[in-house]
Amino acid sequence: MSLFERPPLGAVGDAVPHESADLHVTGQALYTDDLGVRLQGLLHAWPLQAPHAHARLLKLDTAPALNVPGVVRVLSAADVPGVNDAGVKHDEPLFPTEVMFYGHAVCWVLADSADAARLGAEAIQAEYEVLPAVLTIAEAVAAESFQGSQPTLRRGDVSLGFEQAAHIFEGEFEFGGQEHFYLETNAALAYTDESGQMFIQSSTQHPTETQEIVAHVLGLTSSQVTVQCLRMGGGFGGKEMQPHGFAAIAALGATLTGRPVRLRLNRTQDLTMTGKRHPFHARWKVGFDESGGLTALQATLSSDGGWSLDLSEPVLARALCHIDNAYFIPHIEVLGRICKTNKTSQTAFRGFGGPQGMLVIEDILGRCAPLLGLEAADLRQRNFYAPGEATPYGQPVRHAERLQGVWQTLLQKSEFAARQAEIRTFNASNPHTKRGLAITPVKFGISFNFTAYNQAGALVHVYKDGSVLINHGGTEMGQGLHTKMIQVAATALGVPLKCVRLAPTRTDKVPNTSATAASSGADLNGGAIKDACDQIKERLAAVAAGALGVHPNDVRFENGRVYPLGHPDQGMDFAKLVHDAYHLRTQLWAAGYYRTPGLHWDRAAMQGEPFKYFSYGASVSEVEVDGFTGAYRLLRADLLHDVGDSLSPLIDIGQVEGGFVQGAGWLTLEELRWDTSNGPHRGRLATQSASTYKLPSFSEMPETFNVALLEQATEDGVVYGSKAVGEPPLMLAISVREALRQAAAAFGPSGRPQQLASPATPEAVFWALEEARQVRGEVVAADD
Ligand code: MTE
Ligand code: MOS
């Protein structure tokens, strides 16, 4: 019954498809907004979005909306019985009097149809006093418009580190955010249930917090509000905090009208109203010794938090905790701060600040390698953590040797050296097309930095016929958590997969849950499910021991059979044992609980051991760039990633592939453009749909895509020896950007630092290679 050991036979580790795959591909999977049509008298909610980035709301005349046929009610601040706030920091009024970003909803219209609600919103008369708006990080820094705490990560003494340096470089780097673009936009459906309680279906990664916020908006207790999440059509962090306000609007509407209320944002509303990945600006100074070893890093990271805090502080903390990535930096001082701007409130996004921190150090290494006369791959490798070393925040880097292991294996599998030589030849003979090849590592800490979140609960029922129903606190957003949990329960109880059914996530089943986030869904909920199953099995083993005449410790549960150790031919069916146990009055269900051991974190000092373990990986990318347009193709990507002993290999490979492609989208295609002019639409998001916001599609997939999981990688602190997988692979995409840097640099003379904007869109790549070409031109001219 150890947490990590696996029985010889069991569903864990089997390559099974996603538990809802059939439903997904046949269109039968139900999402929040599919449920509304089943209800009588459904009302539709529509927001009135303010057309200013920053303004005082002077007047709101909602009466004309009520003259629109079908409009039932307009919700505004005066309707709130509890607290008019949709957040946890008391800085997110649900109905604002001060418009904080272009598209901010000032009130909501309820009507019999979505069209009527939209026309109602258009009829409302609102007057605003326009106020000055802060939009960019540069403007915020100049205006000292910051919010939240300003943590510093520090180890050693940077001035000493710079004294020891043979080379010191300085630079700046600003990079963009990312839209989640989940297929299912934010949605909520609320009604008063048969016993007069508020029931909400919500597309939320954090049902408990949705429940808490609805309760405080309505002035109710948590016990009076139930939130259910069947599944999400993607969350990616965008549904960790953003759904709460929408659920609260639906719940308020349902309370005031006595009718069910549906709220589903259309794509443009979702894009213009909900938060995105934080853009960052970094100013840095770095020192290297003679052989390229890092001696010191000093940096200031400024993130763009948007109009309110929500998760900006923990996102920044994770960025600071990942600026080291895979590298030992003896002396380090990194200051973090969060800009307050008149934009959507930037929030969690796969990696949660980790990608931003890592991108800074990888950019530094990619830029500095030529100045040190080193190949970027060598510079990276020589700075890897060695066993026994610790991170700047004081956590020993356990299994640091895996970094070298993953790296060496991948260099070989990808035939890195041979291809590098081929590319040199190719580039020498092709003036207008250049190729680039790069390898980058990932080290990502698993657990919530906020220690209290590292707990989970589950409920496991065994019915008299031997069938099993499980429930846990995690939510399903496509990542395959439910599939894994079914595998864990089947393995722990020793029954076939088909005996286990999973019931939807609900706050009245498992209370006080954490967000399904930080990639820890399977670690935490899997631990809780296994705990519940182990309790049941222990009681069943006592019954079986009596019947079989052996010690309870010698009873084995395997594939629906229960038998004495060493005698699989003897024994009985699981269902028979369960039936007998019931008649002996044995409790056949249990609540399970798990808390990650060994974590501690001092948020003010930025010191401690916030992570249970690190996930490791590396990737090699090869690109080809066209010198006339900057257009490029990703020719080949090789990924090797550490998921411990995989709980579910098909799911994990899918997560690695999806994470990588999503990361490549962030770094190379997806560009959020805001109107930063002083015109009438200052602050408006210009990229409001898929026509202007370019997502990765099949045509951007690598032409050759080799994805492998690290073998023999048991993680002995986690359920069945596995590791989290959800976020870390996103950062494998940094090698795509580094390969583009190499290719752009190849248009110029060697040995110069090549800068590259992020996202490295074809346009950005064109300007980068143009710069390289110009330097070459100057060199040639000088030679003449
Ligand atoms: N995979 C899919 N298909 N859809 C998603 O929304 N979210 C990612 C990742 N993988 C996501 C996904 C994010 S941001 C996280 S934190 C993890 O899944 C959350 O799930 P887990 O903890 O069960 O891995
Ligand atoms: Mo993921 S960004 O932790 O929801």
Side-chain angles (χ1 to χ4, degrees):
M1 291 215 186
S2 91
L3 181 66
F4 78 95
E5 278 169 317
R6 294 184 177 191
L9 270 184
V12 141
D14 286 356
V16 297
H18 190 284
E19 78 12 87
S20 287
D22 293 354
L23 304 179
H24 290 156
V25 297
T26 55
Q28 294 178 78
L30 294 178
Y31 296 86
T32 296
D33 198 46
D34 297 323
L35 305 169
V37 291
R38 303 173 167 218
L39 300 170
Q40 296 280 322
L42 183 65
L43 289 175
H44 305 252
W46 197 277
L48 174 64
Q49 294 184 260
H52 304 290
H54 192 197
R56 212 179 320 280
L57 183 61
L58 298 177
K59 186 183 136 203
L60 193 65
D61 180 6
T62 58
L66 298 172
N67 297 329
V68 174
V71 170
V72 170
R73 181 154 188 155
V74 180
L75 302 177
S76 57
D79 294 317
V80 177
V83 183
N84 179 21
D85 198 282
V88 290
K89 301 273 178 190
H90 300 290
D91 65 348
E92 280 183 70
L94 186 60
F95 298 100
T97 49
E98 184 180 345
V99 172
M100 293 299 287
F101 64 98
Y102 197 106
H104 203 162
V106 292
C107 64
W108 291 78
V109 179
L110 305 179
D112 291 327
S113 72
D115 274 346
R118 177 175 53 81
L119 293 173
E122 280 170 17
I124 291 173
Q125 317 245 305
E127 279 175 28
Y128 305 93
E129 177 196 341
V130 178
L131 301 170
V134 174
L135 286 180
T136 63
I137 293 179
E139 287 170 7
V141 170
E144 294 187 35
S145 172
F146 298 115
Q147 55 187 333
S149 55
Q150 301 199 353
T152 303
L153 174 70
R154 190 179 282 115
R155 169 169 66 194
D157 174 357
V158 279
S159 44
L160 190 67
F162 288 122
E163 273 169 35
Q164 292 164 354
H167 309 273
I168 294 175
F169 306 112
E170 289 181 63
E172 269 183 77
F173 181 32
E174 183 160 359
F175 48 94
Q178 186 178 20
E179 163 58 36
H180 301 88
F181 231 106
Y182 21 60
L183 287 176
E184 179 208 25
T185 52
N186 271 284
L189 174 68
Y191 56 90
T192 306
D193 74 7
E194 312 75 45
S195 47
Q197 309 301 311
M198 182 48 59
F199 184 79
I200 299 150
Q201 303 270 7
S202 169
S203 183
T204 175
Q205 288 175 244
H206 200 169
T208 287
E209 202 167 74
T210 304
Q211 172 195 31
E212 287 165 357
I213 284 177
V214 168
H216 80 222
V217 168
L218 296 184
L220 299 174
T221 61
S222 289
S223 65
Q224 294 169 305
V225 177
T226 297
V227 174
Q228 168 164 302
C229 178
L230 287 186
R231 59 166 62 77
M232 284 163 274
F236 305 112
K239 293 174 182 168
E240 218 180 304
M241 291 224 61
Q242 309 286 304
H244 309 331
F246 305 122
I249 295 288
L252 179 62
T255 304
L256 295 177
T257 62
R259 291 169 64 175
V261 174
R262 140 188 196 258
L263 186 164
R264 182 183 64 80
L265 301 183
N266 66 25
R267 183 61 66 183
T268 297
Q269 288 165 344
D270 199 297
L271 280 156
T272 55
M273 292 168 73
T274 70
K276 302 160 199 329
R277 183 188 293 286
H278 289 73
F280 270 64
H281 174 275
R283 186 183 297 284
W284 52 265
K285 178 175 170 186
V286 66
F288 295 94
D289 63 21
E290 284 300 348
S291 61
L294 284 156
T295 62
L297 174 68
Q298 193 170 33
T300 300
L301 301 188
S302 310
S303 78
D304 179 348
W307 73 279
S308 71
L309 261 183
D310 72 86
L311 291 163
S312 294
E313 287 176 309
V315 165
L316 179 64
R318 189 166 274 269
L320 295 182
C321 289
H322 285 80
I323 197 167
D324 59 328
N325 193 13
Y327 314 110
F328 178 68
I329 309 170
H331 301 282
I332 185 167
E333 186 181 85
V334 187
L335 172 79
R337 54 191 185 181
I338 302 159
C339 297
K340 184 174 175 126
T341 59
N342 294 107
K343 293 210 266 248
T344 53
S345 180
Q346 317 315 5
T347 191
F349 195 136
R350 206 169 191 172
F352 204 85
Q356 288 94 323
M358 261 182 221
L359 190 59
V360 171
I361 190 71
E362 294 301 341
D363 184 70
I364 291 173
L365 296 179
R367 271 161 81 167
C368 294
L371 296 171
L372 297 164
L374 290 170
E375 286 292 341
D378 296 337
L379 177 61
R380 292 191 160 97
Q381 187 179 8
R382 73 179 57 198
N383 281 293
F384 281 173
Y385 278 108
E389 288 173 343
T391 64
Y393 45 90
Q395 170 143 13
V397 183
R398 202 162 63 89
H399 290 161
E401 69 284 354
R402 282 196 191 177
L403 278 168
Q404 294 285 0
V406 167
W407 193 260
Q408 287 304 340
T409 310
L410 191 65
L411 283 175
Q412 270 167 24
K413 284 176 86 165
S414 67
E415 302 163 294
F416 191 86
R419 285 164 64 203
Q420 208 173 29
E422 276 168 33
I423 287 175
R424 268 193 212 103
T425 316
F426 177 92
N427 287 347
S429 54
N430 285 281
H432 304 304
T433 310
K434 304 285 182 192
R435 291 186 179 164
L437 181 73
I439 177 167
T440 56
V442 166
K443 167 185 130 288
F444 190 81
I446 300 296
S447 295
F448 290 95
N449 275 67
F450 180 54
T451 304
Y453 269 5
N454 297 292
Q455 57 176 317
L459 206 49
V460 174
H461 297 174
V462 175
Y463 290 97
K464 277 185 279 181
D465 62 357
S467 64
V468 181
L469 184 69
I470 63 171
N471 202 286
H472 63 89
T475 56
E476 175 64 40
M477 56 195 100
Q479 86 278 38
L481 177 61
H482 286 349
T483 311
K484 289 181 172 177
M485 295 304 95
I486 292 170
Q487 287 176 283
V488 167
T491 305
L493 290 172
V495 298
L497 265 189
K498 62 175 183 345
C499 295
V500 182
R501 195 175 84 76
L502 182 143
T505 316
R506 291 174 62 125
T507 57
D508 59 353
K509 290 279 182 57
V510 178
N512 310 328
T513 55
S514 302
T516 307
S519 305
S520 52
D523 291 11
L524 297 175
N525 296 290
I529 290 210
K530 184 164 183 303
D531 175 43
C533 292
D534 285 348
Q535 294 172 42
I536 296 168
K537 206 162 69 171
E538 194 173 339
R539 294 180 210 132
L540 288 175
V543 175
L548 300 171
V550 295
H551 189 276
N553 288 356
D554 293 335
V555 177
R556 289 293 170 272
F557 292 73
E558 203 173 87
N559 205 24
R561 293 281 300 166
V562 182
Y563 63 85
L565 177 62
H567 300 283
D569 49 315
Q570 298 171 20
M572 60 185 110
D573 285 346
F574 182 79
K576 161 95 171 63
L577 171 61
V578 164
H579 173 270
D580 293 352
Y582 168 78
H583 285 279
L584 292 172
R585 291 185 294 168
T586 307
Q587 186 186 341
L588 291 175
W589 50 271
Y593 179 75
Y594 178 77
R595 67 192 291 277
T596 315
L599 306 179
H600 61 99
W601 179 240
D602 179 340
R603 199 167 68 118
M606 291 289 289
Q607 289 291 317
E609 296 192 35
F611 305 124
K612 177 73 181 152
Y613 58 88
F614 293 102
S615 286
Y616 299 105
S619 68
V620 171
S621 294
E622 180 178 350
V623 297
E624 183 177 294
V625 171
D626 173 62
F628 296 109
T629 61
Y632 48 77
R633 288 186 303 145
L634 179 52
L635 300 179
R636 175 170 164 184
D638 293 74
L639 320 182
L640 180 58
H641 194 71
D642 167 19
V643 297
D645 289 340
S646 175
L647 289 178
S648 201
L650 274 185
I651 299 286
D652 284 349
I653 295 269
Q655 284 291 296
V656 175
E657 291 173 347
F660 175 81
V661 171
Q662 193 166 40
W666 170 47
L667 294 172
T668 67
L669 296 169
E670 301 178 36
E671 188 169 23
L672 290 160
R673 290 273 187 119
W674 310 78
D675 184 342
T676 51
S677 75
N678 284 319
H681 297 299
R682 178 169 166 80
R684 177 177 175 273
L685 180 65
T687 46
Q688 297 201 352
S689 69
S691 60
T692 45
Y693 187 75
K694 183 77 187 87
L695 293 163
S697 58
F698 280 116
S699 50
E700 280 80 26
M701 291 282 286
E703 291 166 30
T704 305
F705 199 10
N706 300 318
V707 178
L709 304 177
L710 186 69
E711 285 170 17
Q712 296 183 332
T714 312
E715 173 55 53
D716 61 18
V718 186
V719 65
Y720 291 129
S722 65
K723 276 188 179 181
V725 67
E727 296 165 288
L730 183 131
M731 287 146 270
L732 295 175
I734 294 174
S735 68
V736 180
R737 180 169 186 275
E738 290 305 307
L740 286 169
R741 184 201 306 281
Q742 299 281 349
F747 284 91
S750 60
R752 52 174 286 280
Q754 176 66 55
Q755 298 203 26
L756 182 61
S758 190
T761 57
E763 184 184 342
V765 172
F766 177 78
W767 292 120
L769 68 88
E770 186 63 11
E771 184 197 304
R773 256 193 312 227
Q774 262 167 25
V775 181
R776 164 158 293 164
E778 285 157 22
V779 174
V780 173
D783 286 354
D784 290 351

